[in-house]
């Protein structure tokens, strides 16, 4: 019902805009019928289930190691990097959208246009509830599945996820399964014991995500999985840890209570506790130890099944605590190759210093290092918090400054990957075509093998397909982040991500233009 409406509406728009096109009633019906008759290929080479406060300043650096990394001859400022003619054509709509049906292209146009309106993004959950009141829950869910859910979510069970994964695979794109866990702990009246149980249950959900990942991925590309830490740890514990890191001058490689080495001691399954941290209450300290035991179980489970964990960055007042947990996991599990990766947000003024500092820690303590490089999505929230609390805005002054910092960090990582065989890995997680072109050209210049797993590319499902499909079909390790779950499970997540990525959604004009171009190309053939 909704699919017919979307296509017919778009065809009417096309007819008004392009009267030279041929649109008959039968043509429109034939277009829709052709879309519905599409069936993906049979699944091949599939893996079965495997065997049985104030924010923190983050600009501190660590001694000569960090300075050496920043000042090395082979690390150049991105502004000095020439972006050559792209090896890839991000404007070839026939190639980029060849595995998409016309109905899917029409849906993408409608959904991305709706997401460009701030009112819709800000009130998405409210509008969903109104829809349920007027249309009923069943019809409302059907409409959501046919539009926004279908655009941005892979499915709710293994069969539905596999269908989406197989379609991506035809274009050379691999999945990164994402469980839409949110960081609610049941409200202010929930006991600490129950809050700890919620965290334990969330870890089990992440372990099941490893199972789902193994069932839908194969061995043709490295297996990656996202982990959002805030649903797994009490926020006040992360904030206190971060404050102590800043207070101690970022010396979290010295072996003290707030250090990589101490936290790594808690990564075990024999309930061995870390050195006491006096600033934490007894309950918080116990929860921290429980968290370390659980994270160790999750990491061991993933590593045993050759699955790389990418730890997401979040709000700035949580990030230092998340980073210390991530570096402790690296210290234990990244001894031979990067299996745990940390995320760095280049919209932060201190982003490049943060990466250099943590690379220096890895060099000092002898573990390999993986990076998920993003621009960041919490601009509005971080700026508002800084204004309310009276501290310096941690966000770069404008998009251009963020762009320069992203390319600078990208170039640095590519040079490190080239000069240190398999000691460093990175996923270039961006929708920006210029940065992607820089990465591809720099890989070619340095002779980095695009299939060896050291450099990957990632975009969100339902967005920037012209980039993902071009990369995947050209043999690069291209990935889509795939949220999975039922409508009720994913809608809060989708609402949050839409709000966080409002600038990206509002600025998706080029993507909509490419979709229109492909729709025009197809309809002119009818």
């Amino acid at each position: 019902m909704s699919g017919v409406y979307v296509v017919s509406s778009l065809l009417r728009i096309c007819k008004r805009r392009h009267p030279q096109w041929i649109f008959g009633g039968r043509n429109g019906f034939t277009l829709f019928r052709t879309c519905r008759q599409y069936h993906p290929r049979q699944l091949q080479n599939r893996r079965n289930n495997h065997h049985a406060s104030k924010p923190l300043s983050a600009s501190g650096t660590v001694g000569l190691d960090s300075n050496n990394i920043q000042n090395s001859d082979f690390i150049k400022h991105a502004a000095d990097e020439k972006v050559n003619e792209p090896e890839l054509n991000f404007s070839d709509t026939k190639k980029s959208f060849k595995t998409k049906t016309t109905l899917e292209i029409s849906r993408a146009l409608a959904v991305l246009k709706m997401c460009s309106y701030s009112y819709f993004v800000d009130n998405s959950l409210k509008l969903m509830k109104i829809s349920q009141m007027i249309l009923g829950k069943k019809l409302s869910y059907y409409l959501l599945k046919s539009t926004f859910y279908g655009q941005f979510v892979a499915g709710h069970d293994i069969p539905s996820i596999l269908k989406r994964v197989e379609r991506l695979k035809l274009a050379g794109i691999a999945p990164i399964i994402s469980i839409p866990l949110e960081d609610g702990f049941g409200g202010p009246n929930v006991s600490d014991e129950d809050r700890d149980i919620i965290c334990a249950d969330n870890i089990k959900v992440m372990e099941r995500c490893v199972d789902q990942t193994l069932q839908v991925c194969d061995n043709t590309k490295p297996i990656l999985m996202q982990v959002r830490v805030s649903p797994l740890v009490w926020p006040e514990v992360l904030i206190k840890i971060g404050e102590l890191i800043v207070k101690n001058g970022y010396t979290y490689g010295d072996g003290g209570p707030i250090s990589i080495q101490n936290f790594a001691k808690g990564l075990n399954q024999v309930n061995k506790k870390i050195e006491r941290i006096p600033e934490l209450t007894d309950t918080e300290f116990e929860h921290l130890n429980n968290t370390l035991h659980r994270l160790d179980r999750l990491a061991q489970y993933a590593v045993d099944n050759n699955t790389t964990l990418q730890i997401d960055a979040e709000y700035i007042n949580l990030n230092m605590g998340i980073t210390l947990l991530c570096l402790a996991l690296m210290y234990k599990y990244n001894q031979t190759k990067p299996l745990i990766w940390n995320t760095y947000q280049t919209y932060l003024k201190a982003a490049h210093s943060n990466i250099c500092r943590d690379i220096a820690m890895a060099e000092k303590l002898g573990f390999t290092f993986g990076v998920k490089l993003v621009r960041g999505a919490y601009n509005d929230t971080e700026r508002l918090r800084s204004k309310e609390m009276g501290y310096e805005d941690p966000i770069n002054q404008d998009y251009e400054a963020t762009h320069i910092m992203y390319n600078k960090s990208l170039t640095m990582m590519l040079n490190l990957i080239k000069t240190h065989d398999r000691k460093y890995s990175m996923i270039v997680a961006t929708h920006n075509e210029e940065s992607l072109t820089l990465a591809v050209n720099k890989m070619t210049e340095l002779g980095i093998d695009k299939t060896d797993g050291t450099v990957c590319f990632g975009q969100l499902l339902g967005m920037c397909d012209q980039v993902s499909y071009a990369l995947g079909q050209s043999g690069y390790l291209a990935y889509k982040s795939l949220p999975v779950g039922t409508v009720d499970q994913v809608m809060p997540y989708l609402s949050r991500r839409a709000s966080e990525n409002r600038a990206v959604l509002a600025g998706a004009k080029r993507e909509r233009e490419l979709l229109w171009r492909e729709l025009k190309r197809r309809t002119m053939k009818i």
Side-chain angles (χ1 to χ4, degrees):
M1 174 179 174
S2 59
V4 177
Y5 176 77
V6 169
V7 173
S8 61
S9 298
L10 286 168
L11 288 175
R12 286 196 297 272
I13 294 171
C14 291
K15 186 175 181 179
R16 288 198 300 270
R17 291 191 177 186
H18 306 280
Q20 72 274 21
W21 296 4
I22 300 173
F23 287 94
R26 180 166 179 77
N27 285 338
F29 174 75
T30 302
L31 171 63
F32 175 67
R33 187 174 62 182
T34 301
C35 297
R36 292 297 300 268
Q37 287 176 342
Y38 176 84
H39 293 286
R41 299 178 184 176
Q42 294 295 319
L43 305 181
Q44 297 176 356
N45 300 323
R46 189 180 66 197
R47 287 191 67 175
N48 292 325
N49 215 343
H50 63 289
H51 302 297
S53 90
K54 283 190 179 183
L56 309 173
S57 170
S59 59
T61 56
V62 182
L64 295 176
D65 289 335
S66 179
N67 291 329
N68 288 338
I69 289 171
Q70 295 190 69
N71 297 326
S72 296
D73 291 338
F74 59 79
I75 297 176
K76 302 176 182 178
H77 195 286
D80 299 327
E81 289 291 336
K82 181 180 179 182
V83 179
N84 301 317
E85 289 300 317
E87 175 186 321
L88 305 174
N89 184 0
F90 296 133
S91 300
D92 186 348
T93 61
K94 181 178 179 180
K95 181 178 180 181
S96 294
F97 302 128
K98 72 177 185 179
T99 66
K100 285 187 172 294
T101 67
T102 306
L103 179 60
E104 289 171 332
I105 290 174
S106 302
R107 180 185 66 192
L109 273 167
V111 169
L112 291 177
K113 183 62 177 177
M114 287 293 294
C115 290
S116 69
Y117 298 114
S118 294
Y119 178 83
F120 179 84
V121 171
D122 293 337
N123 297 278
S124 55
L125 289 178
K126 183 189 297 184
L127 291 172
M128 185 180 78
K129 291 178 181 178
I130 294 173
S131 172
Q132 291 177 12
M133 291 171 58
I134 296 173
L135 302 175
K137 192 170 184 178
K138 186 175 181 179
L139 181 56
S140 178
Y141 279 16
Y142 176 77
L143 292 173
L144 283 170
K145 280 199 167 187
S146 300
T147 52
F148 298 94
Y149 181 97
Q151 180 71 13
F152 298 119
V153 182
H156 68 283
D157 57 15
I158 293 300
S160 59
I161 297 169
L162 276 170
K163 289 180 181 178
R164 181 62 68 93
V165 169
E166 187 65 16
R167 294 282 301 284
L168 292 172
K169 185 179 175 182
L170 294 175
I173 301 172
I176 303 177
I177 301 300
S178 174
I179 299 291
L181 282 176
E182 296 300 299
D183 51 357
F185 291 102
N189 298 322
V190 178
S191 68
D192 288 337
E193 181 180 359
D194 287 339
R195 294 174 74 215
D196 190 66
I197 290 173
I198 291 171
C199 292
D201 290 340
N202 286 340
I203 283 280
K204 292 176 182 177
V205 172
M206 297 309 303
E207 290 171 343
R208 291 196 293 273
C209 184
V210 177
D211 293 334
Q212 290 178 318
T213 298
L214 292 170
Q215 290 181 70
V216 302
C217 294
D218 55 34
N219 288 315
T220 59
K221 293 185 179 181
I223 302 174
L224 310 180
M225 193 184 95
Q226 292 177 237
V227 177
R228 187 165 179 253
V229 171
S230 60
L232 314 178
V233 193
W234 297 347
E236 63 267 31
V237 171
L238 290 173
I239 290 170
K240 282 189 177 181
I241 292 170
E243 290 174 338
L244 290 169
I245 289 173
V246 175
K247 181 180 178 181
N248 296 339
Y250 302 91
T251 56
Y252 48 81
D254 63 356
I258 303 295
S259 70
I260 296 169
Q261 300 95 318
N262 187 36
F263 277 46
K265 292 176 184 176
L267 298 173
N268 62 78
Q269 297 305 302
V270 294
N271 294 323
K272 181 180 178 182
K273 295 186 177 182
I274 64 175
E275 182 182 342
R276 187 70 170 86
I277 301 172
E279 291 82 359
L280 297 182
T281 67
D282 290 343
T283 302
E284 291 169 343
F285 183 69
E286 184 67 26
H287 171 69
L288 175 58
N289 279 282
N290 291 341
T291 298
L292 290 168
H293 299 328
R294 295 164 189 156
L295 287 174
D296 179 66
R297 189 176 70 238
L298 172 63
Q300 187 67 61
Y301 197 47
V303 169
D304 286 347
N305 290 281
N306 200 30
T307 299
T308 296
L309 296 183
Q310 298 178 345
I311 309 298
D312 285 339
E314 303 186 44
Y315 294 110
I316 191 172
N317 61 341
L318 304 177
N319 278 347
M320 289 308 304
I322 292 172
T323 292
L324 182 53
L325 291 172
C326 185
L327 292 176
L329 288 166
M330 288 187 187
Y331 182 75
K332 179 173 181 178
Y333 289 102
N334 285 13
Q335 289 300 310
T336 57
K337 63 179 181 178
L339 292 168
I340 310 294
W341 299 7
N342 195 29
T343 299
Y344 295 89
Q345 303 156 309
T346 62
Y347 73 164
L348 297 176
K349 295 174 182 176
H352 192 69
S353 296
N354 292 344
I355 300 174
C356 292
R357 181 191 61 237
D358 292 343
I359 288 173
M361 290 290 185
E363 291 284 347
K364 175 182 177 181
L365 299 178
F367 56 84
T368 62
F369 198 76
V371 167
K372 178 179 177 181
L373 195 63
V374 304
R375 277 175 164 77
Y378 303 110
N379 301 54
D380 295 341
T381 303
E382 296 290 10
R383 284 208 161 102
L384 179 61
R385 182 185 287 130
S386 68
K387 186 176 181 180
E388 290 176 345
M389 300 184 68
Y391 59 83
E392 181 184 354
D393 184 353
I395 307 298
N396 286 319
Q397 61 183 359
D398 53 33
Y399 182 82
E400 182 61 24
T402 294
H403 183 63
I404 291 172
M405 185 168 290
Y406 189 96
N407 289 351
K408 178 180 179 180
S409 301
L410 169 63
T411 302
M412 180 187 75
M413 286 302 304
L414 289 173
N415 280 296
L416 288 171
I417 287 167
K418 173 61 179 178
T419 55
H420 297 77
D421 185 33
R422 297 186 179 277
K423 190 174 181 180
Y424 294 92
S425 294
M426 172 177 58
I427 182 166
V428 184
T430 181
H431 294 179
N432 184 280
E433 292 183 12
E434 185 179 339
S435 293
L436 291 163
T437 299
L438 171 63
V440 167
N441 289 341
K442 194 68 178 175
M443 288 174 68
T444 302
E445 175 190 327
L446 295 172
I448 297 174
D449 186 349
K450 60 185 177 182
T451 63
D452 69 0
T454 55
V455 181
C456 309
F457 298 85
Q459 289 81 40
L460 298 172
L461 181 67
M463 296 180 64
C464 212
D465 286 342
Q466 76 276 9
V467 163
S468 305
Y469 281 63
L471 288 165
Q473 293 176 70
S474 297
Y476 290 89
L477 296 178
Y479 290 81
K480 281 288 194 183
S481 174
L482 270 58
V484 298
T486 64
V487 172
D488 286 331
Q489 290 170 337
V490 301
M491 284 311 296
Y493 164 85
L494 290 180
S495 177
R496 174 177 63 82
R497 291 310 302 263
S499 179
E500 293 168 0
N501 290 280
R502 66 172 66 247
V504 176
L505 289 165
K509 182 178 179 181
R510 169 169 163 75
E511 186 170 357
R512 296 198 302 271
E513 289 175 349
L514 293 173
L515 289 164
W516 270 116
R517 185 192 304 175
E518 177 61 12
L519 185 61
K520 176 181 176 180
R521 187 190 69 81
R522 295 187 185 191
T523 52
M524 287 183 70
K525 294 171 63 177
I526 297 176

